[in-house]
Amino acid sequence: MTRKVYTGPIVDVTFDRALCIHSARCISELPEVFDVFERPWVNLSEIDTEAAAERVRWQVRRCPPGALQIQEH
């Protein structure tokens, strides 16, 4: 199982493609961060406040198979 790390100013998000079931919760509920039409598809550059980071944490917790996870700094 290989996780790709997407680095942000407050939190990092990791993604394991092998676990993803494509429920699309991340892209439908937080499209300003998760956008499959952009590269990288996880963009944390604007997540520079604790409130914004908490929204990302909340969304990542909603990933059904755990393909997305948070790494705290």
Side-chain angles (χ1 to χ4, degrees):
M1 174 172 18
T2 302
R3 288 195 164 271
K4 175 140 175 86
V5 178
Y6 298 92
T7 303
I10 298 177
V11 296
D12 298 340
V13 171
T14 68
F15 174 67
D16 185 338
R17 179 189 305 227
L19 294 177
C20 185
I21 62 170
H22 306 288
S23 69
R25 280 188 178 172
C26 55
I27 61 174
S28 66
E29 296 177 6
L30 200 57
E32 61 272 23
V33 173
F34 303 99
D35 185 346
V36 295
F37 297 109
E38 295 292 328
R39 293 294 173 256
W41 78 277
V42 179
N43 182 357
L44 299 167
S45 63
E46 302 296 319
I47 306 304
D48 57 358
T49 67
E50 189 55 41
E54 187 53 37
R55 289 183 61 221
V56 173
R57 289 181 190 104
W58 179 84
Q59 190 59 55
V60 167
R61 284 192 298 266
R62 293 178 47 79
C63 180
L68 294 170
Q69 292 185 0
I70 290 289
Q71 284 184 344
E72 297 289 342
H73 288 196

